Amino acid sequence: AKQKADAEARAKAEAEARAKAEAEAKAIWENAIAGKAATLEEAEKFTAFIMLHVGRLADEAWPIAIALVAGTLAFAEGKIPTPRGPITLAWKRAETFSLTFNVPPKTSARLELPATGKNTVFVDGVKVAATPSGQWLLVTEELTGKHTVEVR
């Protein structure tokens, strides 16, 4: 009975944290689309408009999507708390676009990278499949753990 109660409490806390993160991210996303600048607190918390779409929580995996809306920024980095542990991100736009991220255990990431005119994506130096979709490159493979991604 205690295990069931603990599991229910954990699931409730995770659902509340997910709902709060989704609501905050949605508000920032809508402001960005409307051309409104984020506050410093929002920029730090969400790493300059990085949008997290948290998928359905399951014991085996917790999929998220990392979609970068960089605007005119050249780089950003930050840490986003989640019920499973922090997601860390750092990206830089120069001649190539690079992203380093780390997602917590039992979490996988789907990447939506900005299409820069250079549509070849490398994960940890290995070319991977990515599908152009408007202003995005959608990486086919879901990734777990820590990776460095480049668009060149």
Side-chain angles (χ1 to χ4, degrees):
K2 179 162 176 24
Q3 280 184 323
K4 183 178 180 183
D6 288 346
E8 288 173 356
R10 201 170 37 252
K12 181 180 178 184
E14 288 175 346
E16 288 171 356
R18 187 171 63 249
K20 181 180 177 186
E22 287 175 351
E24 290 174 343
K26 181 179 178 187
I28 290 173
W29 180 257
E30 289 171 351
N31 284 340
I33 290 171
K36 296 178 184 173
T39 66
L40 179 58
E41 180 181 338
E42 290 170 334
E44 289 173 349
K45 186 172 182 180
F46 292 93
T47 316
F49 306 109
I50 292 175
M51 186 70 184
L52 291 180
H53 303 281
V54 180
R56 186 165 189 240
L57 185 62
D59 287 337
E60 296 79 30
W62 188 25
I64 61 167
I66 299 174
L68 300 171
V69 182
T72 59
L73 293 177
F75 65 92
E77 65 180 72
K79 183 188 305 187
I80 301 166
T82 76
R84 295 283 168 102
I87 298 169
T88 57
L89 302 150
W91 61 265
K92 179 173 59 172
R93 181 177 33 203
E95 286 188 31
T96 64
F97 176 86
S98 63
L99 162 71
T100 300
F101 71 93
N102 189 16
V103 295
K106 294 189 177 182
T107 305
S108 61
R110 293 185 312 264
L111 300 180
E112 300 174 18
L113 304 170
T116 62
K118 302 173 183 178
N119 292 337
T120 306
V121 178
F122 295 83
V123 175
D124 301 324
V126 178
K127 185 177 174 180
V128 297
T131 304
S133 178
Q135 62 182 354
W136 303 103
L137 293 173
L138 309 178
V139 177
T140 306
E141 178 183 356
E142 285 191 15
L143 303 168
T144 59
K146 183 175 182 176
H147 296 281
T148 298
V149 180
E150 287 185 282
V151 179
R152 39 183 155 130

